[in-house]
Amino acid sequence: MAPPMIDPALFDQLKDNIEKDSSIRKDLEQIIEELNQNVSYTQGVLTKIHSTPRSKYPALLSQVESGIKKELETTTRLAQFASQYPYYKYNYKWGRTLQDAIATVLLCAWLGGMGSDSKPGEVGRLLTLEEVGDVFAVPVNLKDRDAFHITIEEYLLALISVVEDLSRLAMNSVTLGDTELAVQISGFIKDLHGGFQMLNLKNDILRKRVDSVKYAVKKVEDVVYDLSLRNLIPAKGAQ
């Protein structure tokens, strides 16, 4: 009897590899789902800024930071687990959730949260990519090894999400009588838009999202222009 042309062990090995990969994906999805729940909670608290006077930001940001603390704990678990496997095999699974987590940190810091004894929080503070990495306690923009990290693209996409939130806040801050904040947001978004124009972006998704920033600029400029017509811009904001 002629021996089989294909060794049956080949398919046994393939079956084992498929089952192992399935188990990894399942464990990974559980961690990502937990992170997603943490982020959703924090985002929910952050939406309150649109109806909260600036004088009450400290109490609100304390709640936000509590939510972020849980995000960081889950991200640490994600980093430890994901770093056991090739980064680019699974990173698509957590990309959007991680971007949203980064956005909550960036927005909280911009509103005056995420301060420390050496660097107190202040409204208008933009965390750099490296500072975000320090907050999450994970490396950024890794090139020398295959491990979990925050990419430049994830940081920029998160920053664009913050721009969208701030453009909305500019309008709501006027409703709350805080015209100074609207003017500050306008200047910040315009500066960011100018910075984005200097980047040579290769990522199609990122390039399209960057294009949306110009609409945020226009929206906030209209708010500030309306304030100027009514002579409602604070003197120091008009300088």
Side-chain angles (χ1 to χ4, degrees):
M1 182 176 180
M5 297 180 66
I6 299 176
D7 184 352
L10 169 65
F11 288 95
D12 289 337
Q13 184 179 12
L14 289 173
K15 181 174 179 292
D16 290 343
N17 288 339
I18 290 172
E19 290 176 349
K20 181 180 179 182
D21 186 62
S22 178
S23 177
I24 293 170
R25 290 175 188 274
K26 183 178 179 180
D27 291 343
L28 191 58
E29 286 166 359
Q30 288 178 344
I31 299 173
I32 294 170
E33 176 56 29
E34 182 178 336
L35 178 58
N36 191 50
Q37 291 175 5
N38 298 153
V39 172
S40 294
Y41 168 80
T42 309
Q43 289 174 326
V45 178
L46 275 168
T47 60
K48 296 179 182 179
I49 62 171
H50 298 289
S51 57
T52 301
R54 207 188 322 187
S55 60
K56 296 183 179 180
Y57 275 10
L60 178 60
L61 293 177
S62 177
Q63 296 180 48
V64 173
E65 289 173 350
S66 295
I68 287 175
K69 182 180 178 181
K70 293 181 179 179
E71 293 179 16
L72 303 183
E73 291 171 352
T74 309
T75 302
T76 296
R77 287 174 46 220
L78 174 61
Q80 292 172 344
F81 183 83
S83 292
Q84 300 176 68
Y85 309 102
Y87 173 81
Y88 287 104
K89 184 172 183 178
Y90 300 111
N91 73 306
Y92 72 94
K93 282 185 166 293
W94 64 71
R96 181 55 191 267
T97 303
L98 184 59
Q99 289 167 29
D100 290 342
I102 295 168
T104 62
V105 170
L106 289 173
L107 183 55
C108 182
W110 196 95
L111 295 169
M114 307 302 295
S116 63
D117 292 337
S118 60
K119 200 166 188 178
E122 61 177 329
V123 174
R125 180 166 68 109
L126 174 62
L127 297 182
T128 65
L129 172 61
E130 289 72 23
E131 287 174 326
V132 168
D134 290 341
V135 170
F136 281 90
V138 298
V140 299
N141 196 31
L142 271 186
K143 300 296 183 184
D144 60 345
R145 66 185 189 276
D146 191 8
F148 182 92
H149 63 281
I150 294 173
T151 67
I152 294 175
E153 289 79 8
E154 287 165 342
Y155 172 78
L156 292 175
L157 286 166
L159 190 51
I160 293 169
S161 294
V162 171
V163 168
E164 293 166 354
D165 275 325
L166 289 179
S167 65
R168 178 186 171 202
L169 180 59
M171 293 183 287
N172 290 324
S173 64
V174 172
T175 303
L176 293 171
D178 193 348
T179 56
E180 182 181 353
L181 183 59
V183 173
Q184 185 174 1
I185 290 173
S186 177
F188 175 76
I189 292 179
K190 282 192 285 188
D191 286 348
L192 270 186
H193 182 249
F196 278 127
Q197 298 309 301
M198 298 171 60
L199 302 178
N200 182 22
L201 301 173
K202 304 296 185 182
N203 184 307
D204 287 341
I205 295 175
L206 182 55
R207 196 161 56 237
K208 290 177 181 177
R209 290 289 306 281
V210 166
D211 285 342
S212 70
V213 175
K214 64 185 177 185
Y215 299 110
V217 171
K218 178 66 166 59
K219 182 189 295 185
V220 180
E221 280 182 338
D222 288 345
V223 172
V224 174
Y225 178 67
D226 183 62
L227 290 175
S228 67
L229 290 179
R230 292 186 286 157
N231 294 317
L232 294 176
I233 295 181
K236 65 178 182 179
Q239 291 176 354

